[in-house]
Amino acid sequence: MSEKTVRVANGQGFWGDSPLGPVRLVREGPLDYLTMDYLAEVTMSILQKLKSRDPSKGYATDFVKTLERILPEVVEKNIKVIANAGGVNPRACQEAVLETIRKAGYQGVKVGIVSGDNILDRLEELIASGEPLKNMDDGRPLSEVLHRVLSANVYVGAEPLVEALGQGAQIIIAGRCTDPALVAAPLIHEFGWSFDDHDRLAAGTVAGHILECGAQCTGGNFTDWRKVPDMARIGYPIVEGRADGSFDVTKHPGTGGLVTIESVSSQLVYEMGDPKNYITPDVVADFSSIQLEQVGDERVRVSGVQGRPRTETLKVSISYSQGYKAVGQLVVAGPDAEAKARLCADIIWKRLSLDGVEFPASDRLVELVGSGVCFDGIAPAPENLSEVALRIGVRSPNRADVDRFGMELAPLVTSGPPGVTGFAGGRPKATEIVSYWPALVSREKVETQVVIEES
Amino acid sequence: MAQVELSRIAYARSGDKGDGSNVGVIARRPEYYDLLVSELTAERVKKHFSRICRGKVDRYEVPNLHALNFILHDSLGGGGSESLKSDAQGKTHGLGLLQMQIEVPDGLLED
């Protein structure tokens, strides 16, 4: 008998990733678990706002649409689905998913949710109980911006997901759980790993880190892009886990992209901090212990991963309002495109000033896209550009000033230098700036709940 | 000694980390790793990104992956959604670092 392996895939690296990812994963090859990642720091504040306007909203609606599309394969092949699509309202997401499953005519499908991560309503209580929720970057206490907080969620780990799997859930919807936990949880569940088994927890975490950005480990965003075959049909990644904690990174046969030591290493260093201390709610993984080996054409083996006991605190992702911003764009065509674009920017600031609206230099941005803005000071700027995009923006606590700025772009087409065009999409409007406040909270102050319902 | 672009001997990936970015640089061959360690000092990387990175640069060694990891503090024009820049997430910083000129001892590079 061959050794048991468990196939876990990720079909969605972020909210907005291609809808084809999960669809092709369930159709183009065998799969035990499909994970999908929907949440970023800014997403939580948007979802919180939607929920405050309508209590039935506040989750990733794309997830429900995707699930509807892949439901036949999910049910027929008994694929388990784990996603952090619950946002700030996992319960409403569960309702919508159950409704979708019933409409499709499937009975007895168990849908679980994990909640307890949302601490927005508990902030004052937590502060009063001796949790200052200090900003991890600069040490300020949260009380300084408490009245401007938009969302507050604790990153939870694999434990409640494993609990839901243990209760037989086929579809699990979490709120703000960590991205790697989505992949670690099925491995922990299937192989019965203990939450004291630091090396295996770390291995599951590394598997999750490799998968969490979807196709970024199978040739997406890869330095040697010319070597990546058939990027349009890029295969989303699959981990084949084994009981000892080692696993293979691969993708379905016949899909585009590649799986090499280079493509996997590139993803391992993505968003890396201190490689020896990759902290999750479950474990502290040591990325300096990872061993990679090319064991097949599209197959990289990961082994040797070591971990240390989890920390006493959990990370909290808090977002707060920090004023407004707007950015707009005009195309300026040559001759003298650059000089004319600079003049346009100058005219905008002067006209705003004539109307009593001023922005300090630190809150203004002028970029001549095409002239090398991304490599400022690194690569020599190209000369005699035949066209540039003038990208111009402001930020301010004053919303009206930001909207006033947006009115001065289009007029340049008729009252500026010649060759100004490409103004589309209307005036840039003020949007709220959402700032991120990372903090820590004592583990014992947070309790997660698992609720399972059946279609 | 020959002067080559860093991309000849390494590949890279970058992304945001708070109001800074991280740039992971990986040697194309294990035998190039020592050269990365000696040439790509935190000071040199800070100087390379002097117009982009306003904070300090931290460096971590990851020998098992033949990689170095750099944290470029205050390099995005504000964290979260504060930044107005095109590259508010530091996605291009890896390609920026790969344009650095590196002195390579004769005979180290294959033709």
Side-chain angles (χ1 to χ4, degrees):
Chain A
M1 211 178 91
S2 63
E3 190 188 4
K4 172 177 173 175
T5 57
V6 176
R7 284 195 192 83
V8 186
N10 183 317
Q12 197 77 169
F14 59 98
W15 194 352
D17 201 354
S18 169
L20 287 169
V23 171
R24 293 183 47 224
L25 273 171
V26 300
R27 285 181 190 167
E28 295 179 7
L31 213 59
D32 299 310
Y33 288 84
L34 172 67
T35 67
M36 287 181 270
D37 173 21
Y38 284 94
L39 303 182
E41 280 77 28
V42 175
T43 320
M44 299 308 282
S45 64
I46 297 167
L47 293 173
Q48 193 68 53
K49 217 170 266 180
L50 290 171
K51 187 188 172 191
S52 65
R53 281 182 216 139
D54 179 348
S56 72
K57 297 220 160 67
Y59 61 89
T61 46
D62 277 13
F63 171 67
V64 184
K65 285 177 213 151
T66 296
L67 195 65
E68 186 174 17
R69 221 175 141 184
I70 62 174
L71 204 51
E73 284 90 355
V74 165
V75 174
E76 279 155 36
K77 298 179 180 176
N78 192 26
I79 298 167
K80 294 195 167 89
V81 179
I82 310 177
N84 56 6
V88 297
N89 203 349
R91 184 81 211 187
C93 187
Q94 186 184 34
E95 285 298 318
V97 165
L98 284 167
E99 182 65 23
T100 301
I101 297 173
R102 284 178 193 130
K103 265 191 196 156
Y106 298 105
Q107 283 176 350
V109 178
K110 286 186 175 174
V111 180
I113 52 168
V114 172
S115 54
D117 61 293
N118 194 347
I119 57 166
L120 183 61
D121 296 334
R122 293 181 57 205
L123 290 176
E124 289 187 26
E125 164 214 325
L126 284 167
I127 291 170
S129 78
E131 300 281 341
L133 298 167
K134 279 190 275 192
N135 187 312
M136 287 169 74
D137 294 332
D138 58 24
R140 286 182 294 153
L142 183 67
S143 50
E144 281 186 24
V145 299
L146 190 60
H147 59 290
R148 289 193 274 143
V149 168
L150 301 169
S151 70
N153 294 78
V154 178
Y155 284 96
V156 302
E159 263 184 305
L161 300 173
V162 172
E163 193 185 327
L165 287 169
Q167 292 182 33
Q170 183 171 2
I171 295 166
I172 300 174
I173 300 157
R176 182 63 280 191
C177 78
T178 65
D179 305 341
L182 300 172
V183 173
L187 298 174
I188 296 166
H189 168 72
E190 290 280 347
F191 296 117
W193 294 341
S194 147
F195 276 87
D196 295 325
D197 191 341
H198 312 306
D199 289 349
R200 287 190 176 86
L201 293 179
T205 299
V206 169
H209 178 85
I210 293 170
L211 259 55
E212 72 174 275
C213 295
Q216 256 198 174
C217 69
T218 53
N221 189 18
F222 183 52
T223 303
D224 295 344
W225 59 276
R226 287 185 196 276
K227 291 184 188 161
V228 182
D230 197 6
M231 231 187 272
R233 290 179 60 257
I234 196 161
Y236 275 62
I238 299 166
V239 150
E240 284 181 15
R242 283 179 292 273
D244 66 357
S246 71
F247 58 89
D248 291 357
V249 183
T250 186
K251 61 189 184 64
H252 284 325
T255 56
L258 44 78
V259 181
T260 60
I261 287 181
E262 288 81 1
S263 77
V264 173
S265 318
S266 295
Q267 185 53 23
L268 281 170
V269 299
Y270 183 68
E271 289 183 342
M272 184 188 264
D274 176 355
K276 288 185 191 299
N277 290 294
Y278 186 91
I279 301 171
T280 77
D282 304 306
V283 72
V284 178
D286 181 355
F287 276 40
S288 71
S289 63
I290 297 170
Q291 297 301 317
L292 302 178
E293 190 191 350
Q294 190 86 43
V295 293
D297 223 9
E298 295 183 330
R299 183 172 289 266
V300 168
R301 183 151 301 168
V302 183
S303 61
V305 184
Q306 292 170 2
R308 297 192 305 281
R310 63 195 200 180
T311 57
E312 288 306 308
T313 48
L314 291 170
K315 195 171 175 183
V316 190
S317 162
I318 300 170
S319 67
Y320 65 104
S321 172
Q322 182 84 309
Y324 299 89
K325 68 171 180 181
V327 179
Q329 196 166 302
L330 289 165
V331 172
V332 184
D336 304 318
E338 261 186 283
K340 290 191 292 186
R342 288 193 196 288
L343 174 63
C344 285
D346 204 38
I347 291 171
I348 290 174
W349 306 133
K350 281 182 175 152
R351 286 185 181 161
L352 287 168
S353 182
L354 286 173
D355 214 11
V357 177
E358 308 265 2
F359 298 93
S362 58
D363 291 334
R364 292 193 305 221
L365 172 98
V366 174
E367 284 183 342
L368 304 189
V369 179
S371 73
V373 291
C374 289
F375 303 126
D376 190 10
I378 292 175
E383 283 170 30
N384 297 323
L385 296 169
S386 66
E387 66 204 13
V388 292
L390 167 63
R391 200 168 162 278
I392 186 163
V394 296
R395 58 188 173 199
S396 165
N398 186 327
R399 180 172 206 151
D401 282 359
V402 175
D403 278 333
R404 178 67 189 84
F405 154 81
M407 297 174 185
E408 289 298 344
L409 269 71
L412 285 162
V413 177
T414 51
S415 62
V420 179
T421 184
F423 183 79
R427 291 171 176 163
K429 288 219 161 47
T431 56
E432 194 167 24
I433 296 173
V434 177
S435 281
Y436 177 53
W437 185 285
L440 295 174
V441 68
S442 304
R443 199 176 268 278
E444 70 270 14
K445 299 277 173 69
V446 182
E447 238 175 81
T448 53
Q449 297 88 37
V450 171
V451 179
I452 312 233
E453 303 266 1
E454 212 171 301
S455 71
Chain B
M1 296 289 256
Q3 203 172 52
V4 300
E5 208 173 64
L6 179 59
S7 60
R8 267 292 292 284
I9 61 163
Y11 49 100
R13 176 162 297 170
S14 59
D16 61 326
K17 248 185 131 51
D19 68 349
S21 60
N22 102 293
V23 183
V25 184
I26 305 160
R28 288 188 180 274
R29 291 165 160 265
E31 56 266 34
Y32 299 161
Y33 176 64
D34 288 344
L35 189 66
L36 294 188
V37 173
S38 62
E39 288 292 306
L40 287 180
T41 60
E43 295 72 31
R44 194 156 172 216
V45 171
K46 164 73 185 168
K47 203 175 157 211
H48 186 71
F49 284 102
S50 59
R51 305 223 359 133
I52 291 169
C53 175
R54 302 189 180 279
K56 61 172 182 152
V57 170
D58 291 327
R59 184 180 96 161
Y60 296 98
E61 296 178 13
V62 202
N64 54 317
L65 302 178
H66 317 296
L68 295 174
N69 184 38
F70 295 93
I71 309 290
L72 276 54
H73 294 274
D74 194 2
S75 59
L76 304 177
S81 70
E82 247 169 87
S83 175
L84 300 170
K85 293 173 93 163
S86 290
D87 189 14
Q89 294 176 306
K91 299 277 183 195
T92 66
H93 292 179
L95 294 177
L97 188 55
L98 289 179
Q99 293 175 47
M100 187 188 270
Q101 294 292 318
I102 295 285
E103 296 274 335
V104 179
D106 293 329
L108 186 67
L109 291 183
E110 51 186 324
D111 292 320

